[in-house]
Amino acid sequence: MRDPPAAEVRDPPAAEANPPVDCTRPKGSFRTIPHRVEPPGQTPPPDMSDPETRFKLTLHYDGSAFHGWQLQPGQPTVQGALEAAAEQLAGHRRPVVGAGRTDTGVHATGQVAAVTMPSRWEAPALARSLNALLPDSLWVECAEPVPADFHPRFGATSRSYEYRVGTAARTASPFHRRRCWPHGAPFDLDAAQRAAQVLASVHNFRAFAKSGQPQRGHICHVTHARWRRWEDLGAVFEITANRFLHRMVRYLVGTMVDIARHRRAEEEMALLLSGETDLTTSPPAPPQGLCLTRVDYADTGTVTPECKPKLSIGKPKLTSWLAPTALATLLAACEPSSPRAAVPDPVAASASIPASAADDLAGRDGGPGRGQVAGGLPNGSTAGLPGQSLSDSRATAIVRAARTVAPSVVAVSVRRRQQVRRRSFFDDYFLPFRETRGLGSGFVVDERGTVLTNHHVIAGATEILVTLPDGRDFDASLAGSDPATDVAVLTLEGAAGLPVAPLGTASDLLIGEWTVAIGNPFGGLISNPEPSVTAGVVSALGRHIIPGEDDDGFYLGMIQTDASINPGNSGGPLVNAVGEVIGMNTSILSRSGGSEGLGFAIPIDRALTVARDLVEHGKVQRAWLGLGVDAVEADGFGRSRGVRVARVTRGSPAAVAGIREGARLLRAGSSRMATPLDYTAVLLDLRAGDRIELALDGMGAVQLQAAPLPSAAADRVELLRDLEVVTVTPGIQAERGLASAEGALVVEISDALARRIGLAAGDVLLAVNNRRVRTAREAADELRRTQRGGRSFVLLFERSGRMVRTGLLEWR
């Protein structure tokens, strides 16, 4: 950054000798404080004696100078530059919230941000002082005072983008190529316009989203889409929508440019939107041609480059606990000397969140990240505003979120029949089973009675009963469950018209965002069926929980929250401040057995993807890349220092892409690789056909298309009734981590048959009566031979890397 002029860095100047009276700010209500430079790491606390004002900033920036909007350690970002400047002016850290997160290289001429500053700042002086501290590539066009709860993301009703494609040869000039895609001729503008016409409606834009985003949440309402001529340089694509998916505009432009160059048929655009095709989009257009041009709001009008400085914050800003009674009386008596726009009541503005804001899920090209504000709630209090009732001031965002989601949260009661071991010779030998009961939570995702909960809540259940908050009971059946992700789907019998939980996304949460945990702790100890509500914040993201002695497996990529999660909360929703489910409460770390502020939730994006697979296919359709990883090195405490490629399976997507063993894996998708668990967490969310980018040391970025798991794609052979196997191949061996390179992998077996012969899913059958079997077909032939002869037999198989031999088995 350049050194700012001294006159611009100081706080606003003191009042003149005989200034005109401004009734919107009490005389002498602010003071001049010398600018201070604190030693590194010593940030002074905010002066809570001063009232604060929230300002809306309209921004222009050159995206080529930044690594996107959001803060990134060690990288220049728009948010980072703004927060650094605001901290210098305020004397302590001031979070800056944006209307959307633009990617690296994407520009803006109408981005909107918000920051809360000491009320001594006037809007014009704040804009000038920020600009004096900001780099040349970032400019605050204007600052405006807004209500304390103004949120540039949640309040937005639409966003508009432009993308410039250069067709003239001179667009390759350095003066143009940083602001456009210098593509060259030919370019059929009429064909591009016909392709764009099908966009202006409500569509599922899944085909045009970056891989890894969940299917639920791809619906966007495009209100304007057209191509126009860009002088004699090329063409400009304009688009306005209520929300955008990650890289959605760039995928649209890349596909339409191919249509304009007659490399694709015009009809393919409609086919891609329908989802009823095997077609894929063209590669995304590069980022430098994209520009965010405007953001619209329902209450305050359009916030774009046309914004103008308005009045200073007056009476509605001051709360009773900030203003003495005499001062409040003075404010009430004052009338502005010139017409001023009214400032909306913060509580009234927050009481009704626009539907488009509640529907605004993740998106970086055009949509913001969910939970982009650390802390979630605005800084100023709403209690005690003039003309505001006490009951209204109590209706906080947490109250509204709980009120929205709680009707869809259910109690899940289960009965199990478990076999118990005899503790002594005197125990009853003829009662080896006992009935146990369990209780958890869940939430309704479909009005016809589809409920999501945890696998561990219903595992082994012989009977499942679901109770709604209004007291209604429904018998439930298990539609499917996945132990690896701890997700289960229930179907309620005879249900209709049930309240449904609004579903959000966890893909863009930030640490510090408010969270609400809803569930049914302690079950029958609380008499009524209404769920309990606890509040906290997002404590951490992407947590990997290593299992303890009594746990079955790892929990990967979890949301950590300090909202209390107690026994019985498992399966309930974790909700954000606008009343959308962002996770499924699953586990806690505790020494006492109760909540100690270390709760963990499955991201809702993963839960929905797994649930969709369970409903449509009966099992999770996981994907395969064909590479295994291990830690680069670990210290004496077991901490990894990176990830390297340990093996690459012949013929796999990784092998086809040229990835070599020993290469250091730096990133998979958007996730940095620090430990092997980071890679496993990425695979959990990957599906066959998804595109993913791997960054490897010495190789750069490599694009892979995930394939189905080899064991899922292999031909099955039925050995016996209720027993199916597949032939072990190099791909299956790598997928399952098998010691054996040959044999028949058990992929499905009934519980009854498993108890009789001792096999389980995942075992590899190696021999029948000491005769080696190398394929699934050979295993079937050997078993049928013993069956026809009525002979007994012995099986040799691999389980968890060990060789196991059964006792003598007989046909019956």
Short mmCIF file of all heavy atoms in Angstrom, two decimals, residues 241-277:
data_model
loop_
_atom_site.label_atom_id
_atom_site.label_comp_id
_atom_site.label_asym_id
_atom_site.label_seq_id
_atom_site.Cartn_x
_atom_site.Cartn_y
_atom_site.Cartn_z
N ALA A 241 -29.76 -12.24 -11.69
CA ALA A 241 -30.47 -13.36 -11.07
C ALA A 241 -30.54 -13.14 -9.57
O ALA A 241 -29.80 -12.32 -9.00
CB ALA A 241 -29.77 -14.68 -11.38
N ASN A 242 -31.43 -13.90 -8.94
CA ASN A 242 -31.55 -13.78 -7.47
C ASN A 242 -30.33 -14.37 -6.77
O ASN A 242 -30.01 -13.97 -5.65
CB ASN A 242 -32.82 -14.47 -6.99
CG ASN A 242 -32.78 -15.98 -7.18
OD1 ASN A 242 -32.23 -16.47 -8.16
ND2 ASN A 242 -33.37 -16.73 -6.26
N ARG A 243 -29.63 -15.30 -7.41
CA ARG A 243 -28.44 -15.91 -6.82
C ARG A 243 -27.66 -16.58 -7.94
O ARG A 243 -28.18 -16.83 -9.03
CB ARG A 243 -28.81 -16.95 -5.75
CG ARG A 243 -29.71 -18.06 -6.26
CD ARG A 243 -30.16 -18.97 -5.13
NE ARG A 243 -29.06 -19.75 -4.61
CZ ARG A 243 -28.79 -21.00 -4.99
NH1 ARG A 243 -29.54 -21.60 -5.90
NH2 ARG A 243 -27.78 -21.65 -4.48
N PHE A 244 -26.38 -16.86 -7.67
CA PHE A 244 -25.52 -17.51 -8.64
C PHE A 244 -24.75 -18.63 -7.95
O PHE A 244 -24.43 -18.53 -6.76
CB PHE A 244 -24.53 -16.52 -9.26
CG PHE A 244 -25.17 -15.51 -10.18
CD1 PHE A 244 -25.71 -14.34 -9.68
CD2 PHE A 244 -25.23 -15.74 -11.54
CE1 PHE A 244 -26.28 -13.41 -10.51
CE2 PHE A 244 -25.80 -14.81 -12.39
CZ PHE A 244 -26.34 -13.65 -11.87
N LEU A 245 -24.45 -19.66 -8.70
CA LEU A 245 -23.62 -20.75 -8.21
C LEU A 245 -22.16 -20.45 -8.50
O LEU A 245 -21.83 -19.56 -9.29
CB LEU A 245 -24.03 -22.07 -8.87
CG LEU A 245 -25.52 -22.41 -8.76
CD1 LEU A 245 -25.81 -23.71 -9.51
CD2 LEU A 245 -25.96 -22.53 -7.32
N HIS A 246 -21.28 -21.24 -7.87
CA HIS A 246 -19.85 -21.01 -8.03
C HIS A 246 -19.45 -21.24 -9.50
O HIS A 246 -19.65 -22.33 -10.05
CB HIS A 246 -19.08 -21.97 -7.11
CG HIS A 246 -17.63 -21.66 -7.01
ND1 HIS A 246 -16.75 -22.46 -6.35
CD2 HIS A 246 -16.90 -20.63 -7.48
CE1 HIS A 246 -15.54 -21.96 -6.42
NE2 HIS A 246 -15.61 -20.84 -7.11
N ARG A 247 -18.90 -20.21 -10.12
CA ARG A 247 -18.44 -20.21 -11.51
C ARG A 247 -19.58 -20.40 -12.52
O ARG A 247 -19.35 -20.72 -13.68
CB ARG A 247 -17.36 -21.27 -11.75
CG ARG A 247 -16.10 -21.01 -10.94
CD ARG A 247 -14.97 -21.96 -11.32
NE ARG A 247 -13.80 -21.73 -10.48
CZ ARG A 247 -12.72 -22.48 -10.49
NH1 ARG A 247 -12.64 -23.51 -11.33
NH2 ARG A 247 -11.71 -22.21 -9.70
N MET A 248 -20.80 -20.17 -12.09
CA MET A 248 -21.94 -20.37 -12.98
C MET A 248 -21.86 -19.49 -14.22
O MET A 248 -22.07 -19.95 -15.35
CB MET A 248 -23.23 -20.10 -12.20
CG MET A 248 -24.50 -20.03 -13.01
SD MET A 248 -25.90 -19.77 -11.90
CE MET A 248 -27.06 -18.99 -13.04
N VAL A 249 -21.58 -18.18 -14.04
CA VAL A 249 -21.53 -17.27 -15.18
C VAL A 249 -20.42 -17.70 -16.15
O VAL A 249 -20.59 -17.68 -17.38
CB VAL A 249 -21.32 -15.83 -14.71
CG1 VAL A 249 -21.22 -14.89 -15.91
CG2 VAL A 249 -22.45 -15.40 -13.79
N ARG A 250 -19.29 -18.12 -15.62
CA ARG A 250 -18.17 -18.48 -16.48
C ARG A 250 -18.46 -19.76 -17.27
O ARG A 250 -18.06 -19.89 -18.44
CB ARG A 250 -16.91 -18.61 -15.65
CG ARG A 250 -16.42 -17.26 -15.10
CD ARG A 250 -15.41 -17.40 -14.00
NE ARG A 250 -14.26 -18.20 -14.43
CZ ARG A 250 -13.32 -18.66 -13.62
NH1 ARG A 250 -13.39 -18.41 -12.30
NH2 ARG A 250 -12.31 -19.37 -14.08
N TYR A 251 -19.16 -20.72 -16.66
CA TYR A 251 -19.55 -21.91 -17.41
C TYR A 251 -20.59 -21.57 -18.48
O TYR A 251 -20.55 -22.11 -19.60
CB TYR A 251 -20.12 -22.97 -16.47
CG TYR A 251 -19.06 -23.84 -15.81
CD1 TYR A 251 -18.82 -23.77 -14.45
CD2 TYR A 251 -18.32 -24.76 -16.55
CE1 TYR A 251 -17.85 -24.57 -13.83
CE2 TYR A 251 -17.36 -25.56 -15.96
CZ TYR A 251 -17.12 -25.46 -14.60
OH TYR A 251 -16.17 -26.25 -14.01
N LEU A 252 -21.51 -20.67 -18.15
CA LEU A 252 -22.50 -20.24 -19.15
C LEU A 252 -21.81 -19.58 -20.33
O LEU A 252 -22.11 -19.89 -21.50
CB LEU A 252 -23.49 -19.28 -18.51
CG LEU A 252 -24.54 -19.87 -17.55
CD1 LEU A 252 -25.26 -18.76 -16.82
CD2 LEU A 252 -25.53 -20.73 -18.32
N VAL A 253 -20.89 -18.65 -20.04
CA VAL A 253 -20.21 -17.93 -21.12
C VAL A 253 -19.36 -18.90 -21.95
O VAL A 253 -19.37 -18.84 -23.19
CB VAL A 253 -19.35 -16.80 -20.55
CG1 VAL A 253 -18.46 -16.20 -21.63
CG2 VAL A 253 -20.23 -15.72 -19.94
N GLY A 254 -18.62 -19.79 -21.29
CA GLY A 254 -17.80 -20.73 -22.04
C GLY A 254 -18.61 -21.58 -22.99
O GLY A 254 -18.20 -21.84 -24.14
N THR A 255 -19.80 -22.00 -22.56
CA THR A 255 -20.67 -22.82 -23.42
C THR A 255 -21.26 -21.98 -24.55
O THR A 255 -21.29 -22.42 -25.71
CB THR A 255 -21.79 -23.44 -22.58
OG1 THR A 255 -21.21 -24.22 -21.52
CG2 THR A 255 -22.69 -24.32 -23.42
N MET A 256 -21.71 -20.75 -24.25
CA MET A 256 -22.32 -19.92 -25.29
C MET A 256 -21.29 -19.43 -26.30
O MET A 256 -21.63 -19.22 -27.47
CB MET A 256 -23.06 -18.75 -24.64
CG MET A 256 -24.36 -19.16 -23.96
SD MET A 256 -25.37 -17.77 -23.37
CE MET A 256 -24.41 -17.25 -21.96
N VAL A 257 -20.05 -19.22 -25.87
CA VAL A 257 -19.01 -18.85 -26.84
C VAL A 257 -18.79 -19.99 -27.84
O VAL A 257 -18.62 -19.75 -29.05
CB VAL A 257 -17.71 -18.49 -26.11
CG1 VAL A 257 -16.53 -18.46 -27.08
CG2 VAL A 257 -17.85 -17.12 -25.43
N ASP A 258 -18.80 -21.23 -27.38
CA ASP A 258 -18.68 -22.36 -28.31
C ASP A 258 -19.87 -22.42 -29.26
O ASP A 258 -19.72 -22.81 -30.42
CB ASP A 258 -18.56 -23.67 -27.52
CG ASP A 258 -17.13 -23.92 -27.05
OD1 ASP A 258 -16.23 -23.16 -27.45
OD2 ASP A 258 -16.92 -24.89 -26.29
N ILE A 259 -21.05 -22.06 -28.75
CA ILE A 259 -22.23 -22.00 -29.64
C ILE A 259 -22.05 -20.89 -30.67
O ILE A 259 -22.34 -21.06 -31.86
CB ILE A 259 -23.50 -21.79 -28.81
CG1 ILE A 259 -23.81 -23.04 -27.98
CG2 ILE A 259 -24.70 -21.43 -29.70
CD1 ILE A 259 -24.97 -22.88 -27.01
N ALA A 260 -21.54 -19.73 -30.22
CA ALA A 260 -21.33 -18.61 -31.14
C ALA A 260 -20.26 -18.90 -32.17
O ALA A 260 -20.26 -18.31 -33.26
CB ALA A 260 -20.96 -17.36 -30.35
N ARG A 261 -19.35 -19.82 -31.89
CA ARG A 261 -18.32 -20.21 -32.85
C ARG A 261 -18.71 -21.47 -33.61
O ARG A 261 -17.90 -22.07 -34.30
CB ARG A 261 -17.00 -20.42 -32.13
CG ARG A 261 -16.51 -19.17 -31.40
CD ARG A 261 -15.07 -19.26 -31.01
NE ARG A 261 -14.20 -19.17 -32.18
CZ ARG A 261 -12.86 -19.23 -32.14
NH1 ARG A 261 -12.27 -19.39 -30.98
NH2 ARG A 261 -12.15 -19.15 -33.24
N HIS A 262 -19.99 -21.91 -33.42
CA HIS A 262 -20.56 -23.06 -34.14
C HIS A 262 -19.82 -24.36 -33.83
O HIS A 262 -19.75 -25.26 -34.66
CB HIS A 262 -20.58 -22.80 -35.65
CG HIS A 262 -21.34 -21.56 -36.02
ND1 HIS A 262 -22.70 -21.40 -35.79
CD2 HIS A 262 -20.91 -20.38 -36.58
CE1 HIS A 262 -23.08 -20.20 -36.21
NE2 HIS A 262 -22.02 -19.56 -36.68
N ARG A 263 -19.31 -24.43 -32.61
CA ARG A 263 -18.71 -25.68 -32.15
C ARG A 263 -19.72 -26.54 -31.40
O ARG A 263 -19.44 -27.71 -31.12
CB ARG A 263 -17.51 -25.37 -31.24
CG ARG A 263 -16.36 -24.71 -31.97
CD ARG A 263 -15.25 -24.34 -30.98
NE ARG A 263 -14.07 -23.82 -31.65
CZ ARG A 263 -13.00 -23.33 -31.02
NH1 ARG A 263 -12.99 -23.29 -29.70
NH2 ARG A 263 -11.97 -22.87 -31.71
N ARG A 264 -20.84 -25.93 -31.02
CA ARG A 264 -21.92 -26.64 -30.35
C ARG A 264 -23.23 -26.18 -30.95
O ARG A 264 -23.34 -25.06 -31.47
CB ARG A 264 -21.95 -26.35 -28.84
CG ARG A 264 -20.70 -26.65 -28.08
CD ARG A 264 -20.90 -26.48 -26.59
NE ARG A 264 -21.77 -27.50 -26.05
CZ ARG A 264 -21.51 -28.20 -24.95
NH1 ARG A 264 -20.40 -27.98 -24.27
NH2 ARG A 264 -22.36 -29.10 -24.51
N ALA A 265 -24.25 -27.04 -30.85
CA ALA A 265 -25.58 -26.70 -31.36
C ALA A 265 -26.29 -25.78 -30.37
O ALA A 265 -26.11 -25.90 -29.15
CB ALA A 265 -26.41 -27.96 -31.58
N GLU A 266 -27.11 -24.88 -30.87
CA GLU A 266 -27.84 -23.95 -30.01
C GLU A 266 -28.78 -24.69 -29.06
O GLU A 266 -29.02 -24.26 -27.94
CB GLU A 266 -28.63 -22.96 -30.86
CG GLU A 266 -27.75 -22.04 -31.70
CD GLU A 266 -28.57 -21.12 -32.59
OE1 GLU A 266 -29.77 -20.91 -32.27
OE2 GLU A 266 -28.04 -20.62 -33.59
N GLU A 267 -29.33 -25.82 -29.53
CA GLU A 267 -30.30 -26.57 -28.72
C GLU A 267 -29.67 -27.17 -27.46
O GLU A 267 -30.37 -27.55 -26.52
CB GLU A 267 -30.93 -27.69 -29.55
CG GLU A 267 -31.73 -27.22 -30.75
CD GLU A 267 -30.86 -26.78 -31.93
OE1 GLU A 267 -29.63 -27.08 -31.89
OE2 GLU A 267 -31.39 -26.13 -32.85
N GLU A 268 -28.34 -27.25 -27.41
CA GLU A 268 -27.69 -27.89 -26.26
C GLU A 268 -27.86 -27.09 -24.98
O GLU A 268 -27.81 -27.65 -23.88
CB GLU A 268 -26.21 -28.12 -26.56
CG GLU A 268 -25.96 -29.18 -27.62
CD GLU A 268 -24.48 -29.49 -27.81
OE1 GLU A 268 -23.70 -29.12 -26.91
OE2 GLU A 268 -24.12 -30.08 -28.84
N MET A 269 -28.05 -25.78 -25.10
CA MET A 269 -28.24 -24.97 -23.90
C MET A 269 -29.49 -25.41 -23.14
O MET A 269 -29.47 -25.60 -21.91
CB MET A 269 -28.31 -23.50 -24.26
CG MET A 269 -28.40 -22.56 -23.06
SD MET A 269 -26.95 -22.61 -21.99
CE MET A 269 -25.78 -21.73 -23.01
N ALA A 270 -30.58 -25.58 -23.87
CA ALA A 270 -31.83 -26.02 -23.22
C ALA A 270 -31.68 -27.44 -22.68
O ALA A 270 -32.22 -27.76 -21.61
CB ALA A 270 -32.98 -25.94 -24.22
N LEU A 271 -30.96 -28.29 -23.38
CA LEU A 271 -30.77 -29.66 -22.90
C LEU A 271 -29.96 -29.68 -21.61
O LEU A 271 -30.26 -30.44 -20.68
CB LEU A 271 -30.06 -30.50 -23.98
CG LEU A 271 -30.88 -30.84 -25.22
CD1 LEU A 271 -30.00 -31.53 -26.26
CD2 LEU A 271 -32.06 -31.73 -24.86
N LEU A 272 -28.94 -28.85 -21.53
CA LEU A 272 -28.13 -28.80 -20.31
C LEU A 272 -28.95 -28.30 -19.12
O LEU A 272 -28.79 -28.77 -18.00
CB LEU A 272 -26.92 -27.89 -20.52
CG LEU A 272 -25.81 -28.45 -21.42
CD1 LEU A 272 -24.86 -27.34 -21.84
CD2 LEU A 272 -25.06 -29.56 -20.71
N LEU A 273 -29.87 -27.37 -19.37
CA LEU A 273 -30.71 -26.87 -18.29
C LEU A 273 -31.73 -27.91 -17.85
O LEU A 273 -32.13 -27.94 -16.69
CB LEU A 273 -31.42 -25.60 -18.73
CG LEU A 273 -30.55 -24.35 -18.89
CD1 LEU A 273 -31.34 -23.22 -19.54
CD2 LEU A 273 -30.00 -23.91 -17.55
N SER A 274 -32.16 -28.76 -18.77
CA SER A 274 -33.17 -29.76 -18.42
C SER A 274 -32.62 -30.86 -17.53
O SER A 274 -33.35 -31.50 -16.78
CB SER A 274 -33.75 -30.38 -19.70
OG SER A 274 -32.79 -31.24 -20.32
N GLY A 275 -31.31 -31.11 -17.63
CA GLY A 275 -30.70 -32.19 -16.85
C GLY A 275 -30.95 -33.57 -17.43
O GLY A 275 -30.48 -34.56 -16.88
N GLU A 276 -31.67 -33.65 -18.53
CA GLU A 276 -32.00 -34.95 -19.13
C GLU A 276 -31.08 -35.24 -20.31
O GLU A 276 -31.51 -35.53 -21.41
CB GLU A 276 -33.46 -34.95 -19.57
CG GLU A 276 -34.42 -34.71 -18.42
CD GLU A 276 -35.86 -34.60 -18.88
OE1 GLU A 276 -36.08 -34.62 -20.12
OE2 GLU A 276 -36.76 -34.48 -18.03
N THR A 277 -29.79 -35.14 -20.07
CA THR A 277 -28.82 -35.37 -21.13
C THR A 277 -27.49 -35.77 -20.52
O THR A 277 -27.22 -35.47 -19.34
CB THR A 277 -28.63 -34.09 -21.98
OG1 THR A 277 -27.64 -34.32 -22.97
CG2 THR A 277 -28.21 -32.92 -21.11
#
